[in-house]
């Protein structure tokens, strides 16, 4: 198995059967070997810098009904909110003073935020903080909308593909959502010129090793700038309330594989990883991740943007999160960078 890791390290790719073999035969010793290689590649490309993104969750209204997600339309117990443009700008101000140079605007698919409103928000943020990058994470929209947001100044877009296996996709989403459409969006975003991020949940219900292999092959094909993966965690108000969460162990293994496949990729150690294990984000960094995304949303709405149960940091001020993260990274020999943290191909 170590030979397969050496091969991936050298050539950045493996065949379907080889990926499957690696995932199925993993064990602690093999994982440690993989993490060492992933760390080496990460350090070669990004040193010990950890890029930070300020996450602003600006609406939890959603027209979709994804079975896993706590803010799905059918969860009538979700306490819905929208931030005003002024509140979003205030979050940016707080973030800027704390050294954030990327703002990630994330929300459910809330059509109250028309293209016009989104463009107005992008222009306002860019007007005040021309040295900052804006990442959008607002789901599926048309080519024209994506193009208009890009022209207004948004330069990155996160849209997890969720699973690259069409049957599996159908078991996680209602019929009206399709993997084909999701993939089309990703290719459009790339075509427009965004730094694009795809990704998936690890351990989502009905996921098989074959699904994960499909995910890796899709990532190879799309060749994205960012890949967001984190464990699935059940939310009490969803059809998957009783399903098991994904594991730290498998998430770390996949993070490291992805680092070897795409040496330059921007790879976050996610909040979900920090939620299933108190040291999850540190371990993610040590498995090859190079991005963290502390929350900049106003405290009052943090608990309402609940995609899954037990989400961490919902009661902490942005400044607390920022300094806590700094301490955590310093403790493992890394440091938070005050920079836009672009993909290496763009720096
Ligand atoms: N509406 C936007 C943003 C979605 S929320 C969009 O469609 O892209 C961001 C991500 O959270 C999702 O892509 C999903 O992968 C993840 N997520 C949702 N519910 C989750 C859960 N129960 N456990 C772990 N991750 C979850």
């Amino acid at each position: 198995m170590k030979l397969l890791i050496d091969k991936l390290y050298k050539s950045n790719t493996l065949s379907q059967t080889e990926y499957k073999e690696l995932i199925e035969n993993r064990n602690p010793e093999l994982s440690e070997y993989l993490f060492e290689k992933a760390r080496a590649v990460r350090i070669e490309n990004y040193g010990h810098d950890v890029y930070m993104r300020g996450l602003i969750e600006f609406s939890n209204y959603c027209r979709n009904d994804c079975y896993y997600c706590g803010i799905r339309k059918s969860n009538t117990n979700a306490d819905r909110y929208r931030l005003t443009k002024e509140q979003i700008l205030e979050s940016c101000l707080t973030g800027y003073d704390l050294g954030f140079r990327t703002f990630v605007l994330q929300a459910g698919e809330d059509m109250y935020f028309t293209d016009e409103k989104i463009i107005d928000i992008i222009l306002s943020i860019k007007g005040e903080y021309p040295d900052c990058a804006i990442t959008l994470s607002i789901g599926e929209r048309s080519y024209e909308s994506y193009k208009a947001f890009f022209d207004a100044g948004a330069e990155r877009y996160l849209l997890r593909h969720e699973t690259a296996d069409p049957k599996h996709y159908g078991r996680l989403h209602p019929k009206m959502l399709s993997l084909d459409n999701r993939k089309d969006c990703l290719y459009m975003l790339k075509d427009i010129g965004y730094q694009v991020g795809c990704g998936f949940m690890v351990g989502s219900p009905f996921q098989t090793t074959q699904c994960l292999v499909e995910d890796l092959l899709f990532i190879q094909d799309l060749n994205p700038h960012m890949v967001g993966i984190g464990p699935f965690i059940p939310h009490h108000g969803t059809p998957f309330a009783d399903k098991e969460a994904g594991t730290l162990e498998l998430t770390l293994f996949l993070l490291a594989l992805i680092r070897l496949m795409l040496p330059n990729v921007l790879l976050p150690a996610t909040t979900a990883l920090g939620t299933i294990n108190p040291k999850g984000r540190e371990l993610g960094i040590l498995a090859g991740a190079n991005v963290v995304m502390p929350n900049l949303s106003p405290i009052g709405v943090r608990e309402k943007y609940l995609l899954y149960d037990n989400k961490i940091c919902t009661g902490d001020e942005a400044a607390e999160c920022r300094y806590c993260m700094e301490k955590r990274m310093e403790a493992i020999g890394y440091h938070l960078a005050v920079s836009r943290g672009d993909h290496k191909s763009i720096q």
Side-chain angles (χ1 to χ4, degrees), residues 5 9 31-48 252 255-257 259-260 263 267 282-290 332-334:
I5 292 175
Y9 174 70
S31 296
E32 203 34 63
Y33 186 74
L34 173 65
F35 298 161
E36 270 169 36
K37 286 265 185 290
R39 273 200 298 274
V41 170
R42 177 246 198 268
I43 290 166
E44 206 176 292
N45 287 291
Y46 292 103
H48 288 80
L252 296 176
L255 280 172
L257 283 184
R259 169 61 61 203
L260 294 190
L267 195 61
E282 288 91 326
L283 293 169
I285 297 293
L286 293 171
N290 66 330
I332 55 168
Y334 289 75

Side-chain angles (χ1 to χ4, degrees), residues 140 159 177-186 188:
E140 298 176 29
L159 186 77
L177 295 173
S178 85
L179 177 59
D180 278 343
N181 198 56
R182 196 100 179 150
K183 282 186 176 177
D184 285 348
C185 287
L186 283 163
M188 285 192 292

Side-chain angles (χ1 to χ4, degrees), residues 91-142:
S91 301
C92 293
L93 175 61
T94 307
Y96 194 88
D97 288 342
L98 292 170
F100 288 93
R101 296 295 178 267
T102 291
F103 302 118
V104 180
L105 299 176
Q106 192 177 81
E109 288 198 9
D110 180 4
M111 292 307 123
Y112 165 87
F113 286 97
T114 55
D115 289 0
E116 219 185 337
K117 289 203 174 80
I118 298 285
I119 289 167
D120 181 43
I121 292 167
I122 296 169
L123 291 174
S124 305
I125 297 177
K126 276 287 176 183
E128 300 219 15
Y129 308 101
D131 53 335
C132 291
I134 296 179
T135 306
L136 294 178
S137 178
I138 56 173
E140 298 176 29
R141 297 220 180 188
S142 68

Side-chain angles (χ1 to χ4, degrees), residues 160 227-231 251 255 267-275 280-281 284 289 291-293 308 312:
R160 290 186 174 182
V227 177
I229 70 165
T251 308
L255 280 172
L267 195 61
T270 59
T271 306
L273 194 56
T275 297
R281 286 168 299 179
V291 173
V292 291
M293 299 170 72
Y308 47 80
I312 50 172

Side-chain angles (χ1 to χ4, degrees), residues 147-189:
K147 178 80 170 75
F149 302 154
F150 184 77
D151 291 341
E155 49 253 283
R156 303 188 193 136
Y157 206 104
L158 294 176
L159 186 77
R160 290 186 174 182
H161 63 281
E162 311 297 358
T163 171
D165 176 320
K167 279 214 199 81
H168 187 215
Y169 197 92
R171 300 188 77 174
L172 301 182
H173 302 96
K175 269 208 184 63
M176 46 182 314
L177 295 173
S178 85
L179 177 59
D180 278 343
N181 198 56
R182 196 100 179 150
K183 282 186 176 177
D184 285 348
C185 287
L186 283 163
Y187 286 105
M188 285 192 292
L189 289 161

Side-chain angles (χ1 to χ4, degrees), residues 1 19-27 209-210 253:
M1 286 306 123
Y19 281 129
K20 194 161 184 199
E21 222 183 308
L22 254 187
I23 295 172
E24 282 180 344
N25 293 297
R26 66 188 197 280
N27 59 51
T209 307
Q210 189 54 36
F253 195 82

